[in-house]
């Protein structure tokens, strides 16, 4: 764990703390946010990559760029980042970007791989949000960008635990916007589709196995996500051509709400004769 010192005068936009900033989507956010005039705190495990990006962005943009080496699956490292979020009054934007995937069938992967995804994609994101949210709310301003995935919406394709972690990110962001939005805090869930980064190789698969029409360039992805940010969208799905499709999907969910909690079971679940289905095929 180490932090490099700030050198430049403070940005009027405040500091963006970006997790997973050493490469991919996080490094691209770092580039774009620096060019917008944010000072930066870049978090990841690879200090050499963080240093190289920080030096480049300082030279090209003149903003202050600090690095914070941390393994967000390590409790002590994570606690340092949480403390930084809670105690540094310059931080105005948290980009919860660090994430990982693991390719393979649920039963074939060691449970430690599942746990590692949950630790990074869920636990770290939640704890960092919990550190930043009260500070932003007390100030009545600030923003949190959470990287979810279109796989939050799919069960048919993807990776069971990864998809589920991203469904969590989407659900948490929506719920928190309801709570924190009225207090002046803006939250955005970004749902990329397949994007050309290292995550694929790290997960043990290849992005080139997919049709190339499905795969977005990382620069296009982040630029589109920032258009969504500037529009103050709660949910941004850069690859989705027709926004009305998402709206119809969400309207169907909202239509369920009045029917999801009732004193009596639905007619189809009322007592029936078990002999009709006994023994159940799953045990026979
Ligand atoms: N690429 C896609 O197709 C895609 C699609 C949908 C959603 N997303 C989401 O977008 C986010 C960024 O993904 P990406 O494609 O840019 O991934 P990536 O290229 O693999 O980069 C992941 C970043 O997270 C950091 N990281 C990984 N494990 C970490 C740990 N334990 N502690 C701290 N930092 C860690 C990595 O840096 P170090 O190795 O230096 O720590 C790296 O900077 C993720 O949340 C991902 O789930 C990606």
């Amino acid at each position: 764990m180490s932090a490099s010192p700030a050198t430049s005068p403070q940005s009027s936009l405040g500091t963006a703390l970006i997790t997973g900033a050493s490469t991919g989507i996080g490094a691209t956010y770092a580039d774009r946010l620096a060019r917008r005039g944010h000072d930066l705190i870049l978090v990841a495990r690879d200090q050499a990559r963080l240093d190289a990006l920080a030096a480049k962005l300082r030279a090209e943009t003149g903003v202050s760029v600090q690095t914070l080496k941390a393994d967000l699956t390590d409790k002590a490292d994570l606690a340092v980042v949480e403390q930084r979020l809670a105690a540094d009054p310059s931080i105005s934007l948290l980009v919860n970007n660090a994430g990982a995937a693991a390719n393979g069938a649920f039963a074939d992967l060691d449970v430690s791989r599942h746990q590692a995804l949950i630790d990074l994609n869920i636990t770290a994101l939640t704890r960092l949000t919990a550190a930043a949210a009260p500070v932003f709310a007390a100030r009545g301003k600030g923003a949190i960008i959470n990287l979810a995935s279109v796989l939050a919406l799919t069960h048919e394709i993807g990776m069971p635990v990864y998809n589920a972690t991203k469904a969590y990110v989407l659900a948490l962001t929506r719920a928190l916007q309801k709570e924190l939005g009225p207090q002046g805090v803006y939250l955005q869930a970004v749902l990329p589709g397949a994007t050309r980064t290292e995550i694929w190789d790290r997960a043990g698969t290849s992005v080139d196995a997919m049709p190339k029409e499905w795969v977005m360039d990382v620069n296009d992805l982040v630029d589109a996500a920032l258009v969504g940010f500037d529009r103050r969208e709660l949910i941004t799905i850069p690859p989705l051509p027709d926004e009305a499709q998402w709206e119809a999907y969400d309207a169907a969910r909202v239509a369920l709400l009045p029917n999801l909690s009732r004193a009596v079971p639905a007619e189809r679940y009322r007592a029936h004769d078990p002999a009709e289905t006994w023994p159940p095929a799953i045990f026979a």
Side-chain angles (χ1 to χ4, degrees):
M1 175 72 48
S2 64
S4 60
T7 46
S8 315
Q10 276 197 348
S11 158
S12 60
L13 295 177
T15 301
L17 186 146
I18 307 167
T19 67
S22 62
T23 184
I25 294 170
T28 309
Y29 265 107
D31 178 87
R32 299 307 193 265
L33 293 173
R35 289 176 203 290
R36 286 177 171 219
H38 278 280
D39 290 335
L40 300 176
I41 300 172
L42 308 179
V43 180
R45 295 167 300 181
D46 188 327
Q47 184 72 59
R49 281 179 130 183
L50 291 177
D51 286 344
L53 180 60
K56 176 176 178 284
L57 294 179
R58 277 186 213 113
E60 290 179 3
T61 69
V63 300
S64 159
V65 187
Q66 301 172 68
T67 63
L68 190 49
K69 175 174 153 63
D71 179 345
L72 297 174
T73 64
D74 177 276
K75 273 189 180 168
D77 281 10
L78 180 57
V80 171
V81 186
E82 289 174 57
Q83 283 153 17
R84 185 65 183 270
L85 283 163
D88 184 339
S90 79
I91 298 173
S92 57
L93 171 60
L94 166 62
V95 185
N96 270 316
N97 165 78
N103 193 43
F106 180 81
D108 292 344
L109 291 171
D110 189 272
V111 70
S112 62
R113 294 288 301 278
H114 299 320
Q115 186 64 59
L117 294 193
I118 293 166
D119 289 348
L120 183 62
N121 298 3
I122 294 184
T123 305
L125 177 140
T126 306
R127 293 192 66 106
L128 297 180
T129 302
V135 184
F136 291 172
R139 264 187 238 149
K141 59 183 181 186
I144 301 174
I145 300 173
N146 287 335
L147 269 291
S149 165
V150 293
L151 295 180
L153 305 175
T154 71
H155 317 297
E156 296 79 3
I157 55 168
M159 300 154 274
V161 174
Y162 179 79
N163 290 24
T165 65
K166 295 301 176 177
Y168 173 91
V169 173
L170 177 59
L172 181 74
T173 309
R174 300 193 82 170
L176 290 185
Q177 176 59 27
K178 190 165 186 316
E179 188 179 314
L180 296 169
Q183 299 178 64
V185 184
Y186 166 54
L187 282 99
Q188 181 194 26
V190 176
L191 279 62
T195 308
R196 188 173 295 280
T197 69
E198 292 173 14
I199 199 170
W200 300 84
D201 289 340
R202 291 176 189 238
T205 183
S206 169
V207 72
D208 294 321
M210 270 199 282
K212 67 177 185 332
E213 317 81 72
W214 289 12
V215 182
M216 196 175 285
D217 176 81
V218 70
N219 293 295
D220 293 341
L221 181 274
V222 173
D223 288 337
L226 286 169
V227 171
F229 182 90
D230 293 339
R231 284 193 194 158
R232 298 294 181 264
E233 288 182 352
L234 171 56
I235 294 162
T236 298
I237 312 178
L240 183 69
D242 183 0
E243 202 172 10
Q245 268 196 307
W246 165 261
E247 284 159 5
Y249 171 90
D250 205 42
R253 182 189 63 81
V254 170
L256 283 173
L257 299 184
N259 300 316
L260 291 179
S261 191
R262 295 273 171 118
V264 291
E267 178 64 36
R268 66 188 176 286
Y269 299 124
R270 304 228 179 120
H272 67 290
D273 181 359
E276 286 171 14
T277 54
W278 201 263
I282 50 168
F283 300 130

